PDB file of all heavy atoms in Angstrom:
ATOM      1  N   ILE H  38     200.059 127.833  87.841  1.00  0.00           N
ATOM      2  CA  ILE H  38     199.392 129.131  87.943  1.00  0.00           C
ATOM      3  C   ILE H  38     198.912 129.334  89.384  1.00  0.00           C
ATOM      4  O   ILE H  38     198.262 128.473  89.963  1.00  0.00           O
ATOM      5  CB  ILE H  38     198.209 129.237  86.968  1.00  0.00           C
ATOM      6  CG1 ILE H  38     198.726 129.242  85.521  1.00  0.00           C
ATOM      7  CG2 ILE H  38     197.371 130.488  87.245  1.00  0.00           C
ATOM      8  CD1 ILE H  38     197.635 129.206  84.480  1.00  0.00           C
ATOM      9  N   THR H  42     190.830 132.297  93.546  1.00  0.00           N
ATOM     10  CA  THR H  42     189.463 131.844  93.275  1.00  0.00           C
ATOM     11  C   THR H  42     189.444 131.038  91.979  1.00  0.00           C
ATOM     12  O   THR H  42     190.376 131.120  91.169  1.00  0.00           O
ATOM     13  CB  THR H  42     188.512 133.045  93.120  1.00  0.00           C
ATOM     14  OG1 THR H  42     188.840 133.772  91.931  1.00  0.00           O
ATOM     15  CG2 THR H  42     188.592 133.968  94.330  1.00  0.00           C
ATOM     16  N   ARG H  60     205.355 134.202  84.005  1.00  0.00           N
ATOM     17  CA  ARG H  60     205.009 135.579  83.660  1.00  0.00           C
ATOM     18  C   ARG H  60     203.580 135.907  84.088  1.00  0.00           C
ATOM     19  O   ARG H  60     203.308 137.003  84.580  1.00  0.00           O
ATOM     20  CB  ARG H  60     205.171 135.784  82.143  1.00  0.00           C
ATOM     21  CG  ARG H  60     204.999 137.213  81.694  1.00  0.00           C
ATOM     22  CD  ARG H  60     206.057 138.106  82.292  1.00  0.00           C
ATOM     23  NE  ARG H  60     205.695 139.509  82.173  1.00  0.00           N
ATOM     24  CZ  ARG H  60     206.156 140.473  82.955  1.00  0.00           C
ATOM     25  NH1 ARG H  60     207.020 140.169  83.903  1.00  0.00           N
ATOM     26  NH2 ARG H  60     205.783 141.711  82.788  1.00  0.00           N
ATOM     27  N   LEU H  86     192.119 146.856  82.343  1.00  0.00           N
ATOM     28  CA  LEU H  86     192.537 145.468  82.152  1.00  0.00           C
ATOM     29  C   LEU H  86     193.665 145.389  81.129  1.00  0.00           C
ATOM     30  O   LEU H  86     194.664 144.685  81.348  1.00  0.00           O
ATOM     31  CB  LEU H  86     191.341 144.625  81.704  1.00  0.00           C
ATOM     32  CG  LEU H  86     191.567 143.112  81.556  1.00  0.00           C
ATOM     33  CD1 LEU H  86     192.049 142.497  82.864  1.00  0.00           C
ATOM     34  CD2 LEU H  86     190.282 142.427  81.090  1.00  0.00           C
ATOM     35  N   TYR H 104     187.029 140.074  79.332  1.00  0.00           N
ATOM     36  CA  TYR H 104     185.870 140.942  79.567  1.00  0.00           C
ATOM     37  C   TYR H 104     184.596 140.265  79.058  1.00  0.00           C
ATOM     38  O   TYR H 104     183.566 140.254  79.749  1.00  0.00           O
ATOM     39  CB  TYR H 104     186.076 142.285  78.875  1.00  0.00           C
ATOM     40  CG  TYR H 104     185.148 143.371  79.351  1.00  0.00           C
ATOM     41  CD1 TYR H 104     185.493 144.184  80.436  1.00  0.00           C
ATOM     42  CD2 TYR H 104     183.911 143.584  78.750  1.00  0.00           C
ATOM     43  CE1 TYR H 104     184.645 145.173  80.896  1.00  0.00           C
ATOM     44  CE2 TYR H 104     183.053 144.567  79.197  1.00  0.00           C
ATOM     45  CZ  TYR H 104     183.418 145.367  80.268  1.00  0.00           C
ATOM     46  OH  TYR H 104     182.561 146.345  80.723  1.00  0.00           O
ATOM     47  N   ALA H 105     184.678 139.684  77.861  1.00  0.00           N
ATOM     48  CA  ALA H 105     183.497 139.044  77.259  1.00  0.00           C
ATOM     49  C   ALA H 105     183.075 137.796  78.035  1.00  0.00           C
ATOM     50  O   ALA H 105     181.875 137.555  78.230  1.00  0.00           O
ATOM     51  CB  ALA H 105     183.783 138.692  75.799  1.00  0.00           C
ATOM     52  N   PHE H 114     175.442 132.329  83.790  1.00  0.00           N
ATOM     53  CA  PHE H 114     175.819 131.382  84.846  1.00  0.00           C
ATOM     54  C   PHE H 114     175.803 131.993  86.250  1.00  0.00           C
ATOM     55  O   PHE H 114     176.438 131.465  87.163  1.00  0.00           O
ATOM     56  CB  PHE H 114     177.205 130.798  84.548  1.00  0.00           C
ATOM     57  CG  PHE H 114     177.285 130.057  83.244  1.00  0.00           C
ATOM     58  CD1 PHE H 114     177.810 130.667  82.114  1.00  0.00           C
ATOM     59  CD2 PHE H 114     176.795 128.762  83.127  1.00  0.00           C
ATOM     60  CE1 PHE H 114     177.875 130.000  80.896  1.00  0.00           C
ATOM     61  CE2 PHE H 114     176.852 128.076  81.924  1.00  0.00           C
ATOM     62  CZ  PHE H 114     177.395 128.691  80.791  1.00  0.00           C
ATOM     63  N   LYS H 117     179.085 132.650  88.240  1.00  0.00           N
ATOM     64  CA  LYS H 117     179.923 131.538  88.689  1.00  0.00           C
ATOM     65  C   LYS H 117     180.524 130.799  87.488  1.00  0.00           C
ATOM     66  O   LYS H 117     179.882 130.674  86.450  1.00  0.00           O
ATOM     67  CB  LYS H 117     179.097 130.536  89.505  1.00  0.00           C
ATOM     68  CG  LYS H 117     178.385 131.146  90.708  1.00  0.00           C
ATOM     69  CD  LYS H 117     179.363 131.621  91.754  1.00  0.00           C
ATOM     70  CE  LYS H 117     178.619 132.119  93.000  1.00  0.00           C
ATOM     71  NZ  LYS H 117     179.568 132.627  94.029  1.00  0.00           N
ATOM     72  N   PRO H 119     181.208 127.628  85.535  1.00  0.00           N
ATOM     73  CA  PRO H 119     180.626 126.282  85.545  1.00  0.00           C
ATOM     74  C   PRO H 119     181.698 125.196  85.564  1.00  0.00           C
ATOM     75  O   PRO H 119     182.718 125.317  84.898  1.00  0.00           O
ATOM     76  CB  PRO H 119     179.826 126.239  84.246  1.00  0.00           C
ATOM     77  CG  PRO H 119     180.537 127.191  83.340  1.00  0.00           C
ATOM     78  CD  PRO H 119     181.032 128.295  84.235  1.00  0.00           C
ATOM     79  N   ASP H 123     181.419 121.233  78.513  1.00  0.00           N
ATOM     80  CA  ASP H 123     180.670 121.781  77.386  1.00  0.00           C
ATOM     81  C   ASP H 123     180.251 123.226  77.629  1.00  0.00           C
ATOM     82  O   ASP H 123     180.184 124.029  76.693  1.00  0.00           O
ATOM     83  CB  ASP H 123     179.442 120.915  77.088  1.00  0.00           C
ATOM     84  CG  ASP H 123     179.811 119.549  76.537  1.00  0.00           C
ATOM     85  OD1 ASP H 123     180.882 119.436  75.901  1.00  0.00           O
ATOM     86  OD2 ASP H 123     179.043 118.591  76.740  1.00  0.00           O
ATOM     87  N   VAL H 131     187.922 130.463  75.633  1.00  0.00           N
ATOM     88  CA  VAL H 131     188.082 129.180  76.337  1.00  0.00           C
ATOM     89  C   VAL H 131     187.886 128.033  75.352  1.00  0.00           C
ATOM     90  O   VAL H 131     186.791 127.821  74.842  1.00  0.00           O
ATOM     91  CB  VAL H 131     187.086 129.050  77.502  1.00  0.00           C
ATOM     92  CG1 VAL H 131     187.247 127.682  78.185  1.00  0.00           C
ATOM     93  CG2 VAL H 131     187.282 130.179  78.507  1.00  0.00           C
ATOM     94  N   THR H 142     192.557 120.790  87.261  1.00  0.00           N
ATOM     95  CA  THR H 142     193.158 121.421  88.437  1.00  0.00           C
ATOM     96  C   THR H 142     192.199 121.449  89.615  1.00  0.00           C
ATOM     97  O   THR H 142     192.587 121.166  90.755  1.00  0.00           O
ATOM     98  CB  THR H 142     193.600 122.861  88.098  1.00  0.00           C
ATOM     99  OG1 THR H 142     194.570 122.824  87.040  1.00  0.00           O
ATOM    100  CG2 THR H 142     194.219 123.550  89.308  1.00  0.00           C
ATOM    101  N   ILE H 149     192.454 115.691  79.956  1.00  0.00           N
ATOM    102  CA  ILE H 149     193.792 115.777  79.373  1.00  0.00           C
ATOM    103  C   ILE H 149     193.890 117.045  78.532  1.00  0.00           C
ATOM    104  O   ILE H 149     193.181 117.208  77.542  1.00  0.00           O
ATOM    105  CB  ILE H 149     194.094 114.532  78.524  1.00  0.00           C
ATOM    106  CG1 ILE H 149     194.099 113.286  79.411  1.00  0.00           C
ATOM    107  CG2 ILE H 149     195.432 114.690  77.802  1.00  0.00           C
ATOM    108  CD1 ILE H 149     194.348 111.984  78.657  1.00  0.00           C
ATOM    109  N   GLY H 167     199.697 112.040  66.257  1.00  0.00           N
ATOM    110  CA  GLY H 167     198.693 113.015  65.845  1.00  0.00           C
ATOM    111  C   GLY H 167     199.289 114.350  65.454  1.00  0.00           C
ATOM    112  O   GLY H 167     200.347 114.749  65.959  1.00  0.00           O
ATOM    113  N   PRO H 170     195.991 119.030  68.320  1.00  0.00           N
ATOM    114  CA  PRO H 170     195.780 118.796  69.751  1.00  0.00           C
ATOM    115  C   PRO H 170     194.686 117.770  70.033  1.00  0.00           C
ATOM    116  O   PRO H 170     194.830 116.948  70.939  1.00  0.00           O
ATOM    117  CB  PRO H 170     195.391 120.188  70.263  1.00  0.00           C
ATOM    118  CG  PRO H 170     196.092 121.130  69.346  1.00  0.00           C
ATOM    119  CD  PRO H 170     196.010 120.474  67.993  1.00  0.00           C
ATOM    120  N   ASP H 176     194.624 110.152  71.323  1.00  0.00           N
ATOM    121  CA  ASP H 176     195.642 109.102  71.428  1.00  0.00           C
ATOM    122  C   ASP H 176     196.039 108.860  72.887  1.00  0.00           C
ATOM    123  O   ASP H 176     196.184 107.706  73.322  1.00  0.00           O
ATOM    124  CB  ASP H 176     196.887 109.477  70.621  1.00  0.00           C
ATOM    125  CG  ASP H 176     196.675 109.351  69.121  1.00  0.00           C
ATOM    126  OD1 ASP H 176     195.691 108.709  68.709  1.00  0.00           O
ATOM    127  OD2 ASP H 176     197.495 109.902  68.358  1.00  0.00           O
ATOM    128  N   LYS H 188     197.010 112.961  85.711  1.00  0.00           N
ATOM    129  CA  LYS H 188     198.346 113.517  85.954  1.00  0.00           C
ATOM    130  C   LYS H 188     199.154 113.734  84.678  1.00  0.00           C
ATOM    131  O   LYS H 188     200.124 114.491  84.683  1.00  0.00           O
ATOM    132  CB  LYS H 188     199.132 112.585  86.880  1.00  0.00           C
ATOM    133  CG  LYS H 188     198.481 112.351  88.238  1.00  0.00           C
ATOM    134  CD  LYS H 188     199.316 111.399  89.091  1.00  0.00           C
ATOM    135  CE  LYS H 188     198.664 111.160  90.440  1.00  0.00           C
ATOM    136  NZ  LYS H 188     199.490 110.290  91.311  1.00  0.00           N
ATOM    137  N   TRP H 192     202.401 116.241  84.101  1.00  0.00           N
ATOM    138  CA  TRP H 192     203.715 115.597  83.978  1.00  0.00           C
ATOM    139  C   TRP H 192     204.436 116.050  82.712  1.00  0.00           C
ATOM    140  O   TRP H 192     205.614 116.426  82.755  1.00  0.00           O
ATOM    141  CB  TRP H 192     203.553 114.079  83.948  1.00  0.00           C
ATOM    142  CG  TRP H 192     203.454 113.435  85.298  1.00  0.00           C
ATOM    143  CD1 TRP H 192     203.913 113.922  86.491  1.00  0.00           C
ATOM    144  CD2 TRP H 192     202.868 112.159  85.582  1.00  0.00           C
ATOM    145  NE1 TRP H 192     203.647 113.026  87.502  1.00  0.00           N
ATOM    146  CE2 TRP H 192     203.017 111.946  86.978  1.00  0.00           C
ATOM    147  CE3 TRP H 192     202.255 111.187  84.811  1.00  0.00           C
ATOM    148  CZ2 TRP H 192     202.562 110.783  87.606  1.00  0.00           C
ATOM    149  CZ3 TRP H 192     201.795 110.023  85.429  1.00  0.00           C
ATOM    150  CH2 TRP H 192     201.944 109.831  86.814  1.00  0.00           C
ATOM    151  N   VAL H 194     203.787 118.676  80.757  1.00  0.00           N
ATOM    152  CA  VAL H 194     204.031 120.119  80.756  1.00  0.00           C
ATOM    153  C   VAL H 194     205.287 120.453  81.563  1.00  0.00           C
ATOM    154  O   VAL H 194     206.180 121.164  81.093  1.00  0.00           O
ATOM    155  CB  VAL H 194     202.826 120.888  81.327  1.00  0.00           C
ATOM    156  CG1 VAL H 194     203.208 122.342  81.630  1.00  0.00           C
ATOM    157  CG2 VAL H 194     201.665 120.870  80.342  1.00  0.00           C
ATOM    158  N   CYS H 201     212.781 118.425  79.088  1.00  0.00           N
ATOM    159  CA  CYS H 201     212.693 118.054  77.672  1.00  0.00           C
ATOM    160  C   CYS H 201     212.266 119.260  76.839  1.00  0.00           C
ATOM    161  O   CYS H 201     211.186 119.293  76.247  1.00  0.00           O
ATOM    162  CB  CYS H 201     211.708 116.893  77.503  1.00  0.00           C
ATOM    163  SG  CYS H 201     211.835 116.071  75.903  1.00  0.00           S
TER     164      CYS H 201
END
Side-chain angles (χ1 to χ4, degrees):
I38 293 174
T42 68
R60 187 63 196 156
L86 185 58
Y104 196 89
F114 300 99
K117 304 294 185 182
D123 291 332
V131 178
T142 300
I149 297 178
D176 286 345
K188 301 179 180 183
W192 276 337
V194 167
C201 195

